Amino acid sequence: MMKNHSNLRYAQKLSFIAPAMLLLILLTGYPLIKVIQMSFFSYENPSAPVFAGIANYIAVLDDSMFWLALGNTLIFTFGTVLLVMVLGISVASLLNQNINTKVRGIFRSFLMFPWLFSSSVVGSIWILMLTPFGIVNWLMMKIGAIDTGIAWLSDETFAMIGLIITNAWRSFPFAMLMILAAFQTVPEDIKEAAEVDGAGMFRRFVSIVLPHIKGIMFTVMTLEIIWNFRSFDLVYLMTGGGPMHSTEVLSTFVYHKAFRSLDFGYASATAIFMLAVMILTSVFYLKSVMSKEDR
C-alpha cells in the first residue's frame, strides 16, 4: 500500500514538470538532433541533400579559416573574461567600502545599465564611440596616448581590441554583482582580527577575502567563458567578422557558411565542434563543484 502511495506521489510530481520538460525537448532537443543529422549530409544541392558521413567534420578540421576563427574565438573569449574579472573585482571592492547605503545603491543600479541594454544598443553606442572622431579617440588624444584618431573597428590590428572592450563593458556588471554579494559574506571579525595583527589592506584581500570568494569567482569565470565562446550578435553587428576576417569567430563563421554559402552540412559540423567545447567546459565546472562539495 505504501509503495503504491509513493508511486502515486512520484507520478504527481512528474506531471508538474512534464510540460516544462516537453517544451525543453521541443525547443532544444529537436534542433540539436536536427543539427547533428545535417552535419552528416552534403548540401551542394539544398533541395536534395546527400549523405556524406564524416566528410564535413574532416573538411572542417582541414580548413584554415576554421582554425583562424577558433583562434579569434579564444582571444575574444579569454580577453573578455580577463577584463570582466578585473573590472568586476575592482568595482565590487569599491562598492564594498563603508559608504552611505543609499549612495551605494544608486551607484550599483547605475553600473547595472550596460548589462540591461540589448546587444544592438550596446553595439550602436560603441560603434559611434570607436569611430576616428569618437569620444574614445578624443579622450586618448587629450591625455597624449595617441596623435591621430584610430579607426578601431576597420583596422585589423585594433578591431578585436575594440570588440573585447565593448563586450567587457556590457558583461562586467554581472561579475560585479556576484562578486559584491560574495564580498559581503566574508566575516568581518576575521578581517578585523587580521587588521589588529598588522595585516595591511592588500594582505587581507589576498589572504582572507580571495580564498573566501574563489568559489563565486570560479562560477562567474565559467559562465563568462561559455557565454562569450558562443557570442554572435555583438560581433556580427559591430564588425561582421571583418576586417579581413580579423574578428571572425566561430559563431559568425557558422552563420556565413550556413546562410551565405548555403553549406548547411559544413556549418552544422562546425556548430557541433562548438557544442563539444561548451559541454567539456560545463562538465569540468560541474566536476569541480561536486569535488568541492564532497570535501
Side-chain angles (χ1 to χ4, degrees):
M1 186 71 179
M2 286 291 292
K3 186 176 180 180
N4 291 337
H5 182 67
S6 176
N7 289 338
L8 181 61
R9 292 188 62 185
Y10 178 78
Q12 287 176 336
K13 292 177 180 178
L14 190 62
S15 67
F16 291 139
I17 66 170
M21 291 297 294
L22 180 61
L23 186 63
L24 184 64
I25 291 170
L26 289 174
L27 295 179
T28 305
Y30 175 74
L32 176 59
I33 294 170
K34 191 66 178 176
V35 168
I36 294 173
Q37 177 192 358
M38 292 173 67
S39 69
F40 292 104
F41 282 81
S42 172
Y43 286 82
E44 290 184 8
N45 181 2
S47 60
V50 178
F51 182 74
I54 62 170
N56 287 320
Y57 292 93
I58 295 173
V60 168
L61 294 176
D62 284 341
D63 190 348
S64 60
M65 280 302 302
F66 166 77
W67 294 107
L68 174 64
L70 177 60
N72 287 338
T73 303
L74 294 176
I75 293 170
F76 176 77
T77 300
F78 290 104
T80 298
V81 172
L82 177 62
L83 194 52
V84 162
M85 295 306 296
V86 170
L87 288 172
I89 293 171
S90 302
V91 177
S93 299
L94 292 173
L95 292 176
N96 195 47
Q97 303 303 312
N98 293 322
I99 57 177
N100 184 277
T101 306
K102 290 183 178 179
V103 174
R104 179 163 51 191
I106 291 170
F107 273 103
R108 186 165 55 188
S109 300
F110 178 75
L111 289 167
M112 288 301 296
F113 281 151
W115 197 45
L116 301 177
F117 292 150
S118 66
S119 298
S120 58
V121 172
V122 172
S124 299
I125 291 171
W126 277 88
I127 286 172
L128 294 174
M129 290 173 63
L130 292 172
T131 59
F133 304 102
I135 190 171
V136 172
N137 283 316
W138 180 81
L139 288 172
M140 292 181 71
M141 285 189 285
K142 280 292 182 182
I143 63 175
I146 57 175
D147 296 323
T148 57
I150 299 172
W152 288 86
L153 300 178
S154 56
D155 188 297
E156 293 180 47
T157 305
F158 298 105
M160 182 61 77
I161 297 172
L163 275 180
I164 290 173
I165 292 172
T166 305
N167 198 38
W169 179 81
R170 179 183 67 166
S171 304
F172 93 89
F174 170 75
M176 174 202 72
L177 195 63
M178 295 290 287
I179 294 170
L180 177 60
F183 278 154
Q184 294 172 351
T185 65
V186 180
E188 287 295 328
D189 55 345
I190 298 178
K191 292 192 289 185
E192 290 171 0
E195 187 175 2
V196 170
D197 290 339
M201 183 180 294
F202 179 76
R203 183 65 178 174
R204 294 197 304 272
F205 182 78
V206 172
S207 301
I208 297 173
V209 177
L210 277 184
H212 193 84
I213 68 169
K214 65 181 181 180
I216 292 294
M217 289 178 59
F218 180 70
T219 299
V220 172
M221 286 178 63
T222 305
L223 290 173
E224 289 289 344
I225 288 172
I226 293 172
W227 292 339
N228 289 295
F229 189 84
R230 61 180 178 81
S231 183
F232 168 78
D233 45 7
L234 195 65
V235 179
Y236 184 75
L237 176 68
M238 295 186 70
T239 65
M244 298 297 293
H245 304 289
S246 60
T247 61
E248 187 83 86
V249 294
L250 286 175
S251 56
T252 57
F253 181 65
V254 170
Y255 173 82
H256 291 148
K257 284 292 181 180
F259 299 106
R260 290 189 179 177
S261 302
L262 300 181
D263 196 346
F264 299 111
Y266 186 100
S268 298
T270 309
I272 296 301
F273 278 118
M274 290 182 64
L275 177 64
V277 172
M278 288 186 281
I279 288 174
L280 289 173
T281 305
S282 301
V283 169
F284 172 73
Y285 167 70
L286 291 173
K287 280 190 173 181
S288 300
V289 170
M290 290 172 67
S291 64
K292 289 177 183 177
E293 289 178 351
D294 292 337
R295 290 174 186 173

